[in-house]
Amino acid sequence: MTQAMSVLLTQEAAAPQWGKADVTFDGGAARIHLGNGDELRQIQMAARKLRNQGVTTVNLEGQDWDLNRQWSFAQGFVTAKPGWQLNWTGDAATVATLEQRMEAARFARGLINETPENLPPQKLATQAANWLKTLGGDAVSFRIIEGEALLEEQWVGIHAVGRGSERPPVMLELDYNPLGADAPVSVALVGKGITFDSGGYSLKASEGMLNMKCDMGGAATVTAALGLAIRQGLNKRVKLFLCCAENLVSGRAFKLGDILSYKNGVTVEVVNTDAEGRLVLADGLQAASASGAPFIIDAATLTGAAVMAVGGNYNAIFSPDEAVLDLARTKAKAVAEKVWALPLEPWHKDMCPSAYADTANSRPVKGGGAGGASNAAGFLWRFVAPEAKWLHVDLAAAFEDSAGALWAAGATTHGVLTIAELLKD
């Protein structure tokens, strides 16, 4: 059995022989020397250093480990491969919260890191539904709309994006209702579930396609957030819509120049088949709006433009309502996650013009052109009920292509805690 290394926090500087090191060792213990900067970031980086030195089992010890400090350490310590163990410290309530968070994070990480061959759209929807059913019991009911049945209900975006694959696209509609049949829906969640994104006929280069198993990160994030909130006693009705498809090339795949006529009457010209996420989310947002939910949250690994704008340590957030943005910032700060609001004005709806339809799904230039993340949000806004409050989360921080100073390669689950907190408000 591997011996656990004790890890302690200290405000004292390292002894001179350690130079500027922020992690030192004394026997079987490691000490993280906190400075005057961002302590949570420093703790996460220290966890990565320990993991990179081959440490696989740790006990967090001492009085200085609060909830967010322990979670920051965990975020740096975990890896896609098994073989690590982290033992918490603190009172029973703190440990229980950390275990609940880790359960949700493991679920999301497992889905996002899964190979695309092993996670077709129907399996993604089924696994999400079954996991939530184990947590919510009889309060959870669901249905999966598959293949041609999507057209019968006019979910044209999911169908179009997924029809090029031999494995059919699906929409998961899940209802968590602990209050009774006639209870109003308080929140609706929508997740992008592209289980693999080749770019379609707007084909990605190999290096851009390699990690596109992560393109269902939005579906995993909202599912894990709902599961965490259920674990923590959520007592309101929430509906979940996952928009699941494989975006592949074949004789049946949708094409540039196609025009999609959505359920709400909006027509969309396809000018880039690699801007497929917004096409499937349009269906999910309409379904969420039809639920009557006064608050709609969607999450998606939607645009490279968001990554360029905020980097890989923040998630970009959008809303036409400043109060919604303030709430998201407050909730994210409480759980030590990072969000940054990008512009969204009414004119962003018209930033992808088409000569043939009400709008195009992008601009016919590389990456969608300047302001691509805001233009994508403006596109989505067309499909949200005017009376609903709406938060769009572009998950720039959901996945790391390779290991870095803060994260191991793979899913980060950054965003799960923020959305779970928003559900509880």
Side-chain angles (χ1 to χ4, degrees), residues 16-96:
Q17 65 266 27
W18 289 99
K20 295 182 179 180
D22 55 3
V23 181
T24 63
F25 300 90
D26 180 12
R31 286 180 170 78
I32 301 173
H33 300 267
L34 301 177
N36 297 320
D38 185 336
E39 290 187 350
L40 296 182
R41 182 180 177 88
Q42 187 178 354
I43 289 169
Q44 187 168 338
M45 292 176 70
R48 289 291 306 134
K49 291 176 182 178
L50 290 173
R51 195 75 178 88
N52 286 335
Q53 292 176 19
V55 177
T56 60
T57 307
V58 299
N59 295 329
L60 303 182
E61 297 181 0
Q63 301 301 310
D64 298 318
W65 288 104
D66 63 17
L67 179 67
N68 284 338
R69 284 177 169 180
Q70 292 191 71
W71 189 247
S72 294
F73 185 94
Q75 292 295 78
F77 193 72
V78 301
T79 58
K81 293 181 180 180
W84 53 269
Q85 182 176 339
L86 174 57
N87 299 312
W88 314 109
T89 188
D91 59 30
T94 298
V95 172

Side-chain angles (χ1 to χ4, degrees), residues 199-218:
Y201 279 106
S202 303
L203 196 67
K204 294 178 182 289
S206 290
E207 60 271 19
M209 201 188 302
L210 176 60
N211 289 313
M212 280 299 101
K213 62 184 179 182
C214 79
D215 215 19
M216 37 62 64

Side-chain angles (χ1 to χ4, degrees), residues 129-141 176-178 227 230-231:
N130 289 343
W131 182 66
L132 291 172
K133 184 74 174 175
T134 65
L135 301 180
D138 291 340
V140 172
S141 59
Y176 171 68
N177 183 10
I230 292 171
R231 272 285 192 224

Side-chain angles (χ1 to χ4, degrees), residues 227-249:
L228 176 57
I230 292 171
R231 272 285 192 224
Q232 296 177 338
L234 182 66
N235 195 36
K236 61 174 65 171
R237 188 177 183 183
V238 175
K239 282 206 168 185
L240 172 75
F241 301 92
L242 301 188
C243 310
C244 308
E246 285 184 315
N247 185 21
L248 301 182
V249 178

